[in-house]
Amino acid sequence: MLQKVIAILLPNTVLEVVEDLAEVVSVVAVASTSVLYGLMTGWAAVLPRLQDDSSAPFNLTDQDVATLVSMTSFIGVVPSLFSGVLVECLGPRRLLLGVITPVLGLWLMMAFTPYKSLLYVGRAGVAVCTYLEEAILNPLLAELSPASIRGMAMTGVSISSSVGTLVAYLLAHLTDFTTATASRVAILFVVVVLMCFVPESPYWFVRRGRVEEARSSLRRLLHSEPAVEKEVSAIRASPSSTQTSIADQFVALRRGQNARPVLLVLILYVLRELGGRNAILQYSVYIFRRGGVSMNPFTCTVLLGTTKLLFSIVSAYTMDRAGRRPLLYGSAGVCGLALGLAGIFLQLEVHGTSWFPLMALLLYVACYGLGLGPVMGVYLGELLPTPVRSLAVSIITVSYTLAMFAINFVFLKILSLIGVGATLIIMAAMNLIMVPLVLKFIPESAGITLQELELSFTSTKRNRDTEDI
């Protein structure tokens, strides 16, 4: 529809430029859906406001906070288990739009409810929609983006998530609980409108045997009919073109070239969670309060969100130039060192260094935004073989959300039991473990087509990559 409107309104001399714009709109619209994850994660920053509000309709305890923060990942396991089946039945684009829209009403319910029980219900509903969105997002974006800009396009996911987190932090800092929660609706409404212009995945159409619809989808993304036919041929030649069921994907997952990348990406995702990714972003106000930072903890949290966003933008410009691997192992190493030094300073109670935890966490989120966050998202779309992609995303999402739930549920208790310093040291070790894993086993994927990446973990190719390292 967008292409027809463009053709009518604009002369042929500028049509090619606008076609590029139409492709950009599709990529940006899909990537922007990750703002939902940032808004959900950053919402935890407003809970201290609700706790401190004497006029609130109900009392919110620390245990309530821990439950509200951690329940999202636990509840997210259920939709993650079925995301692959739903994608294959409905199509990733249709499902993505369908899970974002109900969140508008859920945020309004959470903002204005006089009952604590409805706050829990709304949080649970947002969690279901968000984890379905996250499971669909990266594979769909990888299938819609050309290899030459896929890294930059998929880095948009991290940028969008960072925007959502920063907005949530700013709202928590500047407004009350009701305003901060209800304001999310305006942002998500824009995302829903943008998604209406996105075509369905041509890969999904081919898997369903609907080749003509795949061509129609590609015509909205590519500039010429020969390019459309070339892409259709490449998709049809891939091993996944005849696989339409999760049962087929379970069979394919038994093959070593499919199982190896899934296992490696799963391990990296779990280590990233154990390394504090979600806990630091959701409990930042509590960390700064208990870490003895003299600055206003809400101001510190806004600085974290700003830093994460800025370096996510930098990552978009460096992803396809510097490569995925250097950004990933470099950022993981620096994240580990930053958290480790902050933990040591807090454990030793070095006098006059109350500012150091803030500087260390700023360095952590900077490196996370530069590499550890966006590269992992890119790899979720790139390294997972097409024959098992839907199933693999479900398995990985379930695994790391369980790890996230366990960490978030006990995090405040861990802080009380062993202190902020020891907690940061443990997280540092998890980040540092990732470095040798990436150096040893993960290939570079910048500029490589999805069809070529499917061969990256065959025995011959794997041995050659190891020798090159």
Side-chain angles (χ1 to χ4, degrees):
M1 181 178 72
L2 182 60
Q3 292 284 68
K4 292 181 180 178
V5 173
I6 290 170
I8 293 172
L9 296 180
L10 297 177
N12 291 334
T13 54
V14 297
L15 187 56
E16 184 178 347
V17 175
V18 179
E19 285 177 339
D20 289 338
L21 177 61
E23 185 176 357
V24 169
V25 168
S26 294
V27 171
V28 169
V30 175
S32 69
T33 61
S34 191
V35 74
L36 174 59
Y37 185 85
L39 291 171
M40 184 190 73
T41 302
W43 181 76
V46 80
L47 293 179
R49 295 286 191 195
L50 188 58
Q51 285 184 296
D52 297 339
D53 185 1
S54 58
S55 63
F58 48 81
N59 179 48
L60 200 69
T61 66
D62 278 353
Q63 185 57 53
D64 287 322
V65 171
T67 304
L68 285 167
V69 170
S70 62
M71 68 183 290
T72 57
S73 48
F74 180 75
I75 292 172
V77 170
V78 177
S80 299
L81 283 171
F82 296 100
S83 62
V85 175
L86 292 173
V87 164
E88 293 305 319
C89 290
L90 302 175
R93 179 263 180 190
R94 185 183 304 169
L95 182 58
L96 187 58
L97 181 59
V99 300
I100 296 174
T101 306
V103 179
L104 302 177
L106 291 170
W107 281 120
L108 290 176
M109 182 180 75
M110 294 169 65
F112 297 104
T113 178
Y115 306 110
K116 187 190 296 187
S117 59
L118 288 182
L119 189 67
Y120 277 86
V121 171
R123 181 70 166 169
V126 171
V128 170
C129 295
T130 301
Y131 279 94
L132 272 174
E133 174 265 331
E134 288 292 294
I136 306 163
L137 173 58
N138 285 296
L140 174 60
L141 194 56
E143 293 174 352
L144 293 178
S145 304
S148 59
I149 64 165
R150 192 171 58 239
M152 179 180 293
M154 296 185 71
T155 306
V157 174
S158 180
I159 294 174
S160 177
S161 176
S162 298
V163 168
T165 303
L166 177 58
V167 169
Y169 288 165
L170 284 169
L171 290 171
H173 182 47
L174 300 174
T175 65
D176 56 50
F177 173 82
T178 299
T179 304
T181 305
S183 298
R184 287 156 166 76
V185 174
I187 300 171
L188 292 175
F189 179 78
V190 175
V191 174
V192 169
V193 172
L194 286 175
M195 278 299 300
C196 294
F197 296 104
V198 177
E200 186 55 85
S201 166
Y203 284 76
W204 180 75
F205 278 132
V206 171
R207 290 198 298 271
R208 307 300 292 181
R210 297 156 64 176
V211 179
E212 283 305 314
E213 290 173 273
R215 288 191 175 95
S216 298
S217 179
L218 286 166
R219 289 187 185 105
R220 298 173 62 180
L221 298 170
L222 303 177
H223 303 158
S224 65
E225 195 63 27
V228 169
E229 291 302 321
K230 181 180 178 181
E231 187 66 17
V232 168
S233 298
I235 296 172
R236 296 182 74 178
S238 67
S240 64
S241 60
T242 59
Q243 292 177 351
T244 59
S245 71
I246 293 299
D248 291 327
Q249 296 188 38
F250 270 110
V251 173
L253 189 58
R254 295 170 60 184
R255 302 188 187 105
Q257 68 267 30
N258 294 329
R260 279 189 288 268
V262 174
L263 180 60
L264 285 169
V265 174
L266 185 154
I267 291 171
L268 291 176
Y269 262 86
V270 171
L271 284 174
R272 192 180 69 167
E273 292 305 322
L274 296 175
R277 191 270 307 201
N278 197 268
I280 288 173
L281 293 177
Q282 297 217 60
Y283 287 110
S284 55
V285 172
Y286 297 92
I287 292 173
F288 289 127
R289 281 179 174 178
R290 302 188 186 193
V293 178
S294 56
M295 187 182 296
N296 184 306
F298 289 98
T299 303
C300 293
T301 298
V302 171
L303 289 176
L304 287 186
T306 304
T307 303
K308 182 173 177 286
L309 173 59
L310 291 176
F311 279 86
S312 296
I313 295 172
V314 172
S315 179
Y317 288 96
T318 59
M319 181 75 68
D320 290 311
R321 296 173 176 83
R324 303 355 174 197
R325 284 179 75 247
L327 286 178
L328 183 54
Y329 68 71
S331 62
V334 177
C335 284
L337 292 175
L339 294 181
L341 288 174
I344 291 171
F345 269 68
L346 288 172
Q347 282 294 99
L348 297 177
E349 298 182 353
V350 179
H351 181 69
T353 58
S354 62
W355 52 270
F356 196 82
L358 172 60
M359 295 297 103
L361 290 186
L362 287 175
L363 180 58
Y364 170 85
V365 297
C367 291
Y368 177 89
L370 184 63
L372 196 55
V375 174
M376 293 287 288
V378 171
Y379 275 155
L380 191 64
E382 288 184 338
L383 291 189
L384 301 183
T386 308
V388 297
R389 185 169 293 145
S390 297
L391 175 62
V393 170
S394 294
I395 292 172
I396 291 169
T397 305
V398 167
S399 299
Y400 86 77
T401 50
L402 285 174
M404 190 190 307
F405 164 73
I407 295 166
N408 287 336
F409 188 72
V410 301
F411 190 76
L412 290 179
K413 294 180 180 178
I414 291 175
L415 290 184
S416 300
L417 184 63
I418 65 175
V420 176
T423 303
L424 294 181
I425 291 173
I426 294 172
M427 290 179 172
M430 298 299 104
N431 284 282
L432 293 176
I433 291 172
M434 297 177 66
V435 176
L437 287 177
V438 175
L439 287 171
K440 180 68 174 176
F441 297 110
I442 301 297
E444 181 55 65
S445 60
I448 308 299
T449 67
L450 295 181
Q451 291 78 24
E452 292 171 325
L453 283 171
E454 289 186 19
L455 304 175
S456 296
F457 289 90
T458 59
S459 298
T460 302
K461 182 64 180 291
R462 183 168 59 94
N463 290 338
R464 186 165 69 250
D465 288 340
T466 303
E467 290 171 2
D468 291 342
I469 291 173

